[in-house]
Amino acid sequence: MTTIKELKAEMQLTLDQHILNYWLQQMVDREHGGFYGRADGYGRIHPEADKGAVLNARILWAFSAAYRVTQNPDYLQAATRAKDYLIGKFIDQEYGGVYWSLTYQGLPLDTKKQTYAIGFAIYGLSEYARATGDATALERAIALYRDIESHAFDKVNNGYTEALTQEWQPIDDMRLSNKDENGAKTMNTHLHVLEPYTNLYRVWPDEGLRKQLQNLIDIFLDKIWNPHTYHLDLFFDEQWDGKRNVYSYGHDIEAVWLLHEAALVLGDKTVLDRVESVLPKIAKAAGEGLQPDGSLIHEHRTDNGRTDMERQWWVMCECIIGHIDLYQYFGDRRALDIALRCWDYSKQQLIDHERGEWFWGRNEDGSINRDDDKAGFWKCPYHNSRLCLELMERDIPEP
């Protein structure tokens, strides 16, 4: 049986040796600034790959949080590099918000305003401010928050519009990726607006932000959470009519602890009690994807009956944090066992012990997924770094 002390030590080792060292040694773009945009599934660096806002904002968050927790000066240097590049290249100085992507040379490429990406910019900048006290980073985070509230918040139907043009006008294709449905509002974007708003509130306890954070919690409990299936529904139109055809197990369990975190940071007992009454139900729904080997599979579609059996890196990370949260706050010993088994799977199957970082995932047949990137638009030092940092920081009782 792994003790909590041993688990925390493993997390520190993983953070330093199997995640962040890779980004420091392999991914820094010393010629054009910032970080490279892609390393493929075989680990080959693509120096001329486009640079995504989500990747760079998540790099900023990861190194800022790692510096805050460890005080490693190398992490501060990397965080500052990411902060300077995000502010200098990704923020739209004319219209506000952030560009979706840049060329490898740092020129605007896709200039649409994806609310999800702006949320991650707030997440990274607010964490840098939290770690260093930097006033400029906080000011930029607040400005981006105000951009979202001014342009993406739906004052009629509530919630946040998925995407807009550079000039904040309606856009036909609002999809976050080609794997998503073209919904005006999505669970995923709302989850990743809740997350940065929670972090921003830690360093800037503004009353308007407080109201919007509480509103986001209400949206999840009233609109996104399905009280019949206990899953989160994923895609909606402007009026919150949605398709209830996908169970995303990783998002379910990620929402468990992010909703809990938001309610705890908000500090309102009524809100907290309401959230805590729902969390075990969402976790139970997520548990439908648990496998005998300790892993959590990706998703299940109810419209065609197809189950995606891939074991993706981010799903494992969220599975572990979510179940640790249930053990820490609810005393759920079974949840601890699930977290430890999932960590054992991740150590053995997902960490690239030879070359660093984690693989994207394991296919249904157990082979490594090398079709998807080791680093790129969506593969960032975020889910796995956050796993390590969450467990390192939490006051988890020994069983």
Side-chain angles (χ1 to χ4, degrees):
M1 171 66 189
T2 301
T3 67
I4 299 300
K5 183 178 180 180
E6 291 169 339
L7 182 63
K8 286 175 176 282
E10 289 185 351
M11 291 296 156
Q12 175 84 61
L13 180 68
T14 300
L15 178 73
D16 293 334
Q17 294 190 10
H18 301 310
I19 305 172
L20 296 185
N21 184 60
Y22 174 88
W23 291 85
L24 291 174
Q25 298 300 320
Q26 302 291 326
M27 295 302 293
V28 175
D29 185 347
R30 302 191 188 282
E31 182 176 357
H32 298 104
F35 296 80
Y36 292 127
R38 181 176 180 234
D40 65 28
Y42 293 89
R44 296 173 297 218
I45 305 298
H46 293 254
E48 297 184 1
D50 301 336
K51 297 179 176 181
V54 174
L55 170 61
N56 283 266
R58 287 173 168 181
I59 291 171
L60 171 57
W61 180 87
F63 280 105
S64 297
Y67 172 69
R68 180 177 56 79
V69 174
T70 69
Q71 295 297 293
N72 184 329
D74 291 339
Y75 297 163
L76 174 59
Q77 184 179 13
T80 302
R81 181 185 190 86
K83 182 260 300 182
D84 291 344
Y85 194 82
L86 182 73
I87 291 175
K89 299 293 187 179
F90 275 100
I91 290 181
D92 185 338
Q93 303 296 338
E94 183 175 1
Y95 294 103
V98 300
Y99 303 124
W100 177 247
S101 65
L102 308 175
T103 68
Y104 74 96
Q105 296 168 314
L107 301 175
L109 183 62
D110 188 340
T111 60
K112 69 180 176 182
K113 301 297 164 57
Q114 201 85 29
T115 304
Y116 181 101
I118 303 170
F120 270 104
I122 296 170
Y123 196 44
L125 289 166
S126 61
E127 187 63 25
Y128 188 87
R130 186 182 176 200
T132 66
D134 185 83
T136 300
L138 179 57
E139 289 168 4
R140 294 289 187 167
I142 293 169
L144 291 172
Y145 154 73
R146 288 176 172 152
D147 287 337
I148 289 179
E149 292 300 317
S150 297
H151 302 290
F153 181 66
D154 185 343
K155 298 177 177 63
V156 176
N157 300 297
N158 205 355
Y160 295 88
T161 300
E162 187 73 3
L164 297 160
T165 67
Q166 180 181 4
E167 299 84 8
W168 305 102
Q169 297 302 307
I171 190 171
D172 290 334
D173 188 351
M174 293 181 278
R175 293 176 301 168
L176 191 60
S177 75
N178 57 14
K179 298 179 181 179
D180 292 324
E181 297 180 24
N182 193 23
K185 292 166 184 169
T186 70
M187 175 282 303
N188 200 9
T189 286
H190 282 77
L191 187 63
H192 296 297
V193 173
L194 174 82
E195 170 187 56
Y197 279 20
T198 299
N199 210 43
L200 182 59
Y201 189 74
R202 285 187 169 113
V203 292
W204 185 61
D206 174 76
E207 183 58 29
L209 174 57
R210 177 186 179 83
K211 290 178 181 177
Q212 292 304 85
L213 181 55
Q214 182 169 338
N215 181 56
L216 273 161
I217 294 172
D218 290 340
I219 286 172
F220 266 90
L221 300 184
D222 296 337
K223 305 287 189 183
I224 296 174
W225 178 59
N226 189 323
H228 303 292
T229 66
Y230 292 173
H231 290 281
L232 305 179
D233 292 329
L234 303 190
F235 303 104
F236 305 86
D237 64 16
E238 290 182 355
Q239 289 76 38
W240 289 102
D241 291 324
K243 291 184 178 180
R244 290 159 170 79
N245 59 354
V246 182
Y247 298 159
S248 178
Y249 303 119
H251 284 118
D252 285 338
I253 196 63
E254 182 180 19
V256 165
W257 77 267
L258 286 178
L259 280 167
H260 201 198
E261 177 186 57
L264 289 166
V265 170
L266 199 62
D268 185 311
K269 188 177 186 305
T270 301
V271 174
L272 180 61
D273 287 347
R274 186 181 181 216
V275 167
E276 289 186 339
S277 71
V278 171
L279 298 185
K281 299 176 182 178
I282 304 176
K284 180 180 179 181
E288 295 168 10
L290 289 169
Q291 300 301 301
D293 60 9
S295 66
L296 183 68
I297 58 174
H298 184 214
E299 66 181 21
H300 173 73
R301 296 192 67 96
T302 61
D303 53 357
N304 60 17
R306 180 179 178 272
T307 300
D308 184 343
M309 297 293 293
E310 185 183 0
R311 278 72 161 171
Q312 295 191 9
W313 95 102
W314 73 269
V315 177
M316 303 307 129
C317 295
E318 301 308 326
C319 179
I320 297 165
I321 303 173
H323 285 96
I324 286 291
D325 193 85
L326 290 171
Y327 168 67
Q328 180 181 352
Y329 287 97
F330 294 80
D332 186 341
R333 177 58 191 269
R334 179 175 176 273
L336 175 62
D337 293 339
I338 291 171
L340 293 176
R341 293 192 69 229
C342 193
W343 172 234
D344 284 340
Y345 176 90
S346 301
K347 284 190 294 184
Q348 297 170 21
Q349 302 295 331
L350 295 178
I351 296 175
D352 186 344
H353 293 277
E354 180 181 353
R355 297 184 178 180
E357 248 294 340
W358 296 30
F359 301 115
W360 181 283
R362 291 274 177 172
N363 298 312
E364 184 173 358
D365 64 4
S367 62
I368 296 170
N369 175 359
R370 296 192 185 274
D371 293 332
D372 289 300
D373 293 336
K374 176 173 275 191
F377 258 67
W378 298 107
K379 184 65 165 54
C380 321
Y382 156 65
H383 287 284
N384 49 8
S385 290
R386 190 169 65 174
L387 162 65
C388 299
L389 292 163
E390 280 290 324
L391 270 58
M392 287 163 61
E393 279 199 281
R394 285 172 178 256
D395 184 17
I396 308 168
E398 291 285 354

